[in-house]
Amino acid sequence: VRCFAGAGQFDDFLRASKVLVCLLPLTSGTHGLLDRARLSRLPKGAFLVNVARGSVVDEAVLLRGEKTIGPDGIDALEGMAMGLPVLACGTYAKFVEDGVTGVLQPEFDADALARAIARMADDRAYARRLGETGRARVLALCDGAARATDLLAVWREAVRT
């Protein structure tokens, strides 16, 4: 386990982060903190899970899809939870399942992404179906009460053995 502290080690922290979970509140000191320059310090293949609200992360950089910077993936769960169709890159299909709960590309492909966006724009029923099934998937997999019940069952089984 490596420890990083203070602004002087922030760049080193980013370079060492395979998954960066941003939980920062929006303050004058955090506004724009994760900008293009800082996001570019994440290693290739890093993931950003942005739970922060406000302008801590420069989301415009992420939306431009610049492949010269990290991260390679961002969390699509919020969009899915809102019933919006999502597009993602990667191979993990537990949430975004290609053609079922969204569009999942194994790797970044600007032309394929453009075709997927055009299809959603042209076929609103398709986009609506992806959004609805994506929302249902998130609700099923992220239901806190159900996950707590599952965890309780695991603990009860562990106590019995």
Side-chain angles (χ1 to χ4, degrees):
V1 174
R2 292 177 60 191
C3 182
F4 299 91
Q9 293 186 329
F10 190 53
D11 288 348
D12 292 333
F13 166 73
L14 291 172
R15 285 185 192 98
S17 298
K18 294 179 181 176
V19 177
L20 177 62
V21 179
C22 181
L23 303 167
L24 295 170
L26 180 61
T27 67
S28 60
T30 63
H31 178 79
L33 181 67
L34 294 174
D35 58 9
R36 184 184 195 289
R38 289 200 177 98
L39 289 171
S40 70
R41 292 180 179 97
L42 290 169
K44 181 167 178 45
F47 284 84
L48 169 64
V49 178
N50 182 26
V51 184
R53 296 292 179 252
S55 303
V56 175
V57 176
D58 183 354
E59 293 180 351
V61 172
L62 300 175
L63 294 174
R64 282 195 296 271
E66 298 180 34
K67 295 315 290 176
T68 58
I69 66 164
D72 283 344
I74 62 171
D75 195 354
L77 295 180
E78 185 173 305
M80 293 174 74
M82 294 182 346
L84 300 172
V86 298
L87 300 107
C89 295
T91 57
Y92 183 69
K94 184 167 188 161
F95 288 96
V96 182
E97 184 179 348
D98 191 42
V100 178
T101 61
V103 173
L104 182 63
Q105 297 179 352
E107 58 187 40
F108 182 80
D109 179 336
D111 293 331
L113 181 61
R115 286 190 300 274
I117 292 169
R119 180 176 179 198
M120 285 187 220
D122 293 340
D123 187 347
R124 299 304 297 156
Y126 170 71
R128 192 169 24 267
R129 181 178 56 79
L130 291 177
E132 289 170 358
T133 56
R135 178 173 165 73
R137 176 79 50 97
V138 168
L139 292 175
L141 294 175
C142 296
D143 176 49
R147 297 299 68 82
T149 300
D150 293 345
L151 184 58
L152 181 60
V154 169
W155 279 108
R156 284 184 174 151
E157 181 62 29
V159 168
R160 279 182 262 201
T161 57

